[in-house]
Amino acid sequence: MSVSAGEGVNNLVERRTTGLSGIGRWLQATAAGRLAALALLVVVLAFLSVYPLSMLLYGSLHSTPPGMAGTFNLDGYRDVITLQSAVTLLNTVGISLAKTIPSVILAVLLAWILARTDTPFRGALEVLITLPFFIPPILTAMAWGMLGNPQVGLLNQLYQWVTGSETAPINVYSYGGVVWHMMQYSVPFLFLLIVDAFRAMDPSLEEAATMCGASRLRTFRTVTLQLMLPALTGAAILSFIRGIENFESPLFFGSPAGIRVITTDIYDSINQRSPPQYQYATAISFVIMALLFLIVLLQRRMLRGRSFQTITGKGYSPSVMKLGAWRWATFAFCVLFFVVTVVLPVGQLIIGSFFKFFGFYQWDMLTLEHYQAVFGSSEFWRGFSNTMFLGLVGATLTMLLGATVAYVSVRTKWRGRLLIDSMAWLPWMMPGIVLGVGFLWGFALLPHAIPIYGTIWALLLAYISLGTPLSVRAMSSAYAQLSFDLEECSRVHGASWLQTMRRIVLALAWPSFAVGWVLVFFGIMRELSASVLLYSVGSEVLSVVLLKLWANGNAEQVSVIGLIMMVLVIVFRWVQLKFISSRIGGM
């Protein structure tokens, strides 16, 4: 039995506004209520984005740590303008560029294989290739620290056993190790951004080039890549920015080798120096933000005035290239990528969790004592409960905030909506460790009546701030697909704004809300850079617990906790894919 849209709305709003509170009716019915709602939203977003940014400026000019009396000067910026800081900046840019270029090439190749060729099992391979993006970087960093250790790394031991050589060909504690680990996240990230652009491209443009005598390679270079330029440059710029913001890879593989980048320099300035150099840390944080802003401006300048339209009203069906016997070679290439980026590090975690000492893999060393130590550790259970609480509550609040901001930006013509949208996107330009420094100052300077500093609520607010741009992006795309007629019909039949939002807009946009929720949860679970600055005793999360165990030399317990986190990743990734498939099936 079918029901029309009008009848469905009639059924949904049958109870009209009788259950709506007086405050809700006032917010909906009056211009003053609308202004009050906008003002409240601006205050929330200002606290989450503008406030930590302003505290960065304050801290960069203040001579003493947060909460202490001091003077204002430019000493922090003078410390930034040194040869050592210049080397750190060049290291940061060079490493990010060194990982971005090969990552783009590899991601384009993988996207082309899975979107435009007849490679077997493309659907399953796409899921496997994107899995490294959802694994917390701290897990694979620690796993590769055990795999590629020049003294007792498992890969080096296997090489020496097979060849009889005493040399260790792999050393992850180097520039190469930093770039290699960063690439494992950059490639699936880029793949996710560009694979749909390959699918959406009209193949007739490539066919016309082929008919004019161009070879496949020339067609790919002069037509396909040129039309992909917006997607490729946008993805490459984002990947380059993420490389500059990266914290885990330089911390684990760069710091032991004396390789300094801006993020680890900020961390060391606060945690590894006595007294802590807060003024320098905040000043160099501003250098990062200025660099990122210039990169975004560069991308806009590159694409200004150019047209890249490939999708028109004329129908077409994407073509799939027949590779013949070569399709098994492309299949093997995709499988190899999955094995290297997922199977090897996860396998190391499994092996490391069952042997008594890391690096000594004899049968008489097998044990379960590391599992007993972890499950009997109060610190682990405290970190696990904190992570689950912050993940569940943080993801929910972040998506609710993002849904509200996206609605104001996309579905209304209210004055101030552009300001709200810009404030929501501001944290996207702030690396986690920079935002952490800003909140560190901001929470310390709050009145004593607002006890946020040193509590779990400090982490929650930082996670909401970091996740807001993603939640706004997810909900904006969903709202843009909904016709305004649905809301108008609901309002004509007497429904309030809150009822329309709950029963019409959110009911139709819930798949995007669910997918965004899982992505934000992943982001919270993997976040380390902000967490390591804002946690205190009792508010540790699993990433901080892992870092402390690794620093104390407990690689075996790290392996156990890493496996537990991997199970969580697989479960939530499965939930996300189920939501996506149900959404597509319902269209």
Side-chain angles (χ1 to χ4, degrees), residues 6 21 34 58 191 325 418 424 477:
S21 67
R34 182 179 303 171
Y58 177 88
F191 175 87
L418 294 180
S477 300

Side-chain angles (χ1 to χ4, degrees), residues 69-235:
T71 60
F72 292 95
N73 55 50
L74 297 175
D75 289 350
Y77 292 97
R78 293 191 187 98
D79 293 338
V80 170
I81 308 175
T82 61
L83 178 61
Q84 187 178 23
S85 296
V87 171
T88 300
L89 179 61
L90 289 175
N91 269 341
T92 304
V93 175
I95 289 173
S96 184
L97 191 63
K99 73 91 181 178
T100 299
I101 294 175
S103 296
V104 169
I105 296 173
L106 189 54
V108 168
L109 180 59
L110 290 170
W112 175 78
I113 289 173
L114 297 182
R116 304 300 294 273
T117 72
D118 63 342
T119 300
F121 309 108
R122 288 180 292 166
L125 287 175
E126 185 169 342
V127 174
L128 297 179
I129 285 174
T130 57
L131 185 60
F133 175 74
F134 299 95
I135 302 174
I138 190 172
L139 295 187
T140 53
M142 294 174 175
W144 279 103
M146 292 183 273
L147 284 167
N149 187 294
Q151 281 78 40
V152 292
L154 181 59
L155 292 180
N156 287 320
Q157 290 189 31
L158 288 174
Y159 174 83
Q160 293 168 352
W161 178 71
V162 171
T163 63
S165 172
E166 295 184 357
T167 62
I170 300 175
N171 180 14
V172 294
Y173 301 107
S174 60
Y175 281 99
V178 176
V179 172
W180 164 247
H181 184 253
M182 291 170 68
M183 283 182 59
Q184 295 181 58
Y185 290 88
S186 184
V187 171
F189 171 73
L190 289 163
F191 175 87
L192 287 168
L193 292 177
I194 64 178
V195 67
D196 286 334
F198 269 106
R199 293 194 178 105
M201 186 183 300
D202 187 349
S204 63
L205 302 171
E206 298 166 298
E207 293 167 2
T210 304
M211 292 179 63
C212 291
S215 64
R216 285 185 175 180
L217 179 60
R218 184 176 180 183
T219 300
F220 183 81
R221 179 173 54 87
T222 61
V223 178
T224 306
L225 290 183
Q226 289 296 317
L227 293 173
M228 290 281 295
L229 193 59
L232 287 179
T233 55

Side-chain angles (χ1 to χ4, degrees), residues 368-567:
L368 293 175
E369 65 182 24
H370 305 307
Y371 286 87
Q372 297 171 353
V374 167
F375 288 117
S377 169
S378 60
E379 187 177 34
F380 163 73
W381 287 113
R382 185 169 60 248
F384 180 83
S385 61
N386 287 339
T387 301
M388 291 297 100
F389 170 79
L390 291 169
L392 296 172
V393 176
T396 302
L397 293 178
T398 302
M399 288 308 301
L400 289 174
L401 178 61
T404 305
V405 172
Y407 183 87
V408 172
S409 301
V410 177
R411 308 291 294 184
T412 74
K413 296 183 179 180
W414 296 355
R415 292 182 179 179
R417 67 184 187 278
L418 294 180
L419 173 64
I420 288 174
D421 189 61
S422 300
M423 292 172 65
W425 280 98
L426 185 59
W428 193 262
M429 297 293 296
M430 301 173 67
I433 196 162
V434 171
L435 189 73
V437 173
F439 272 129
L440 188 67
W441 271 95
F443 295 149
L445 295 180
L446 286 174
H448 293 295
I450 309 177
I452 298 178
Y453 183 79
T455 68
I456 197 171
W457 308 114
L459 292 170
L460 179 62
L461 291 171
Y463 293 157
I464 293 174
S465 179
L466 289 169
T468 297
L470 175 60
S471 64
V472 172
R473 174 67 180 272
M475 297 307 296
S476 295
S477 300
Y479 288 152
Q481 297 175 340
L482 302 181
S483 171
F484 287 94
D485 295 341
L486 296 172
E487 290 183 77
E488 293 172 359
C489 185
S490 174
R491 299 289 299 278
V492 166
H493 286 80
S496 68
W497 179 82
L498 291 178
Q499 286 178 315
T500 301
M501 276 291 295
R502 181 168 60 91
R503 293 175 172 269
I504 303 295
V505 179
L506 291 181
L508 294 174
W510 72 266
S512 293
F513 186 95
V515 171
W517 188 95
V518 175
L519 290 175
V520 173
F521 182 89
F522 275 125
I524 291 174
M525 190 170 66
R526 63 188 287 174
E527 173 57 39
L528 174 64
S529 54
S531 307
V532 78
L533 294 180
L534 296 174
Y535 88 94
S536 61
V537 177
S539 64
E540 302 96 333
V541 291
L542 280 179
S543 59
V544 172
V545 173
L546 282 172
L547 182 61
K548 292 168 67 175
L549 287 173
W550 181 265
N552 292 331
N554 296 319
E556 302 81 14
Q557 293 184 33
V558 163
S559 299
V560 176
I561 298 176
L563 290 177
I564 295 172
M565 294 182 71
M566 275 301 306
V567 172

